[in-house]
């Protein structure tokens, strides 16, 4: 584990990396606490970094940093998967690579630091892990559909058209295919797919935005 923190009570770190499939005690309660701590601490960082952002914008920014996929990436950087305690079933199915398990373990680890060293120590660890991630966020926290709509509205142009081209896959893993098109200032269209119609629409809008050559208006 590559965490820049030395535990006074190593048992807390061990518990944080114990998945429920390994029996009890496990990290479920610590995961709950860590989730709350991360939300507050990352929220504070965003509050300081974006003094003019609205509540909704700050919430969208935080959602980009504190979600299962993003936290699993942090967990992989810390090499948490190598130290996970899993039941035999999860171990055989590669649970140590699964985003949800890694993200939960990271949240639990944040709680372990808090329980071991207090709020300030936990805050320092979170800030160390997320400072660059906060700095790397796009200047605009608005999603692609909103930015595309505002770009067109600012020029008095017709709004984009989104069409569902189709969907396939089982209900639990369905993929939606969407087309986004505009007629002015030049006809453009883009196709994208995603796990939901909304996600596909966002990706298609992002592609159309990238195809437009005029600068976007200020967010």
């Amino acid at each position: 584990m590559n965490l820049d923190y030395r535990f006074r009570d190593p048992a807390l770190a061990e518990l944080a990396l114990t998945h429920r499939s390994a029996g009890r005690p496990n990290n479920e309660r610590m995961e709950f606490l860590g989730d709350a701590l991360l939300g507050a601490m990352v929220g504070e960082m965003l509050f300081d970094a974006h003094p003019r952002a609205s509540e909704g914008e700050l919430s969208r920014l935080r959602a980009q940093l504190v979600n299962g996929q993003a936290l699993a990436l942090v967990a992989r950087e810390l090499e948490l998967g190598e130290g996970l305690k899993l039941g035999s079933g999860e171990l055989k199915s590669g649970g140590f690579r699964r985003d949800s398990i890694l993200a939960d373990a990271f949240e639990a680890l944040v709680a372990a630091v808090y329980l071991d060293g207090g709020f300030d120590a936990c805050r320092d660890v979170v800030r160390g892990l997320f400072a660059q991630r906060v700095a790397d966020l796009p200047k605009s926290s608005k999603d692609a559909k909103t930015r595309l709509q505002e770009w067109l509205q600012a020029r008095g142009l017709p709004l984009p058209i989104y069409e569902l081209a189709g969907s396939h896959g089982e209900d639990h893993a369905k993929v939606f295919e969407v087309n986004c098109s505009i007629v002015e200032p030049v006809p453009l269209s883009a196709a994208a797919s995603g796990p939901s119609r909304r996600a596909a629409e966002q990706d298609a809008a992002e592609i159309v935005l990238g195809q437009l050559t005029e600068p976007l208006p200020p967010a």
Side-chain angles (χ1 to χ4, degrees):
M1 182 169 64
N2 293 328
L3 187 68
D4 187 19
Y5 178 81
R6 183 182 294 273
F7 280 91
R8 292 178 294 183
D9 182 2
L12 286 169
E14 183 178 347
L15 181 59
L17 300 182
T18 302
H19 186 252
R20 64 178 177 272
S21 64
R24 291 184 178 275
N26 56 55
N27 64 7
E28 285 186 311
R29 281 173 51 84
M30 296 174 77
E31 172 199 335
F32 165 81
L33 178 58
D35 176 63
L37 289 165
L38 271 175
M41 292 172 180
V42 172
E44 180 188 33
M45 295 175 71
L46 293 169
F47 184 86
D48 292 340
H50 298 269
R52 300 177 66 180
S54 68
E55 177 189 3
E57 290 169 338
L58 289 171
S59 294
R60 285 192 290 272
L61 287 171
R62 183 174 59 185
Q64 293 181 50
L65 297 175
V66 185
N67 63 67
Q69 188 175 15
L71 297 185
L73 180 60
V74 180
R76 289 189 178 94
E77 292 176 2
L78 297 175
E79 299 181 356
L80 298 191
E82 298 178 10
L84 284 174
K85 283 189 173 182
L86 303 169
S88 58
E90 286 292 354
L91 195 60
K92 291 177 182 177
S93 65
F96 58 91
R97 293 190 296 264
R98 190 168 300 139
D99 279 3
S100 59
I101 290 178
L102 288 168
D104 291 348
F106 175 68
E107 289 176 338
L109 189 65
V110 168
V113 173
Y114 168 77
L115 294 171
D116 187 72
F119 186 87
D120 288 341
C122 184
R123 190 166 174 254
D124 287 345
V125 168
V126 170
R127 282 180 170 267
L129 292 170
F130 284 87
Q132 191 59 52
R133 288 174 164 83
V134 170
D136 289 343
L137 285 170
K139 293 182 179 179
S140 174
S141 62
K142 296 175 182 177
D143 61 42
K145 287 182 65 176
T146 300
R147 286 184 282 125
L148 178 57
Q149 178 175 313
E150 290 182 353
W151 194 98
L152 295 168
Q153 286 178 326
R155 292 158 177 79
L157 301 174
L159 295 180
I161 299 171
Y162 297 94
E163 296 178 315
L164 180 63
S167 63
H168 58 85
E170 301 294 333
D171 288 343
H172 67 281
K174 193 174 288 292
V175 175
F176 294 83
E177 298 174 353
V178 167
N179 292 321
C180 172
S181 59
I182 60 173
V183 295
E184 297 182 58
V186 292
L188 290 173
S189 65
S193 59
S196 69
R197 180 169 180 170
R198 175 178 171 77
E201 288 176 347
Q202 293 289 354
D203 287 347
E206 193 72 66
I207 295 171
V208 171
L209 274 169
Q211 293 174 336
L212 292 169
T213 56
E214 294 185 55
L216 295 178

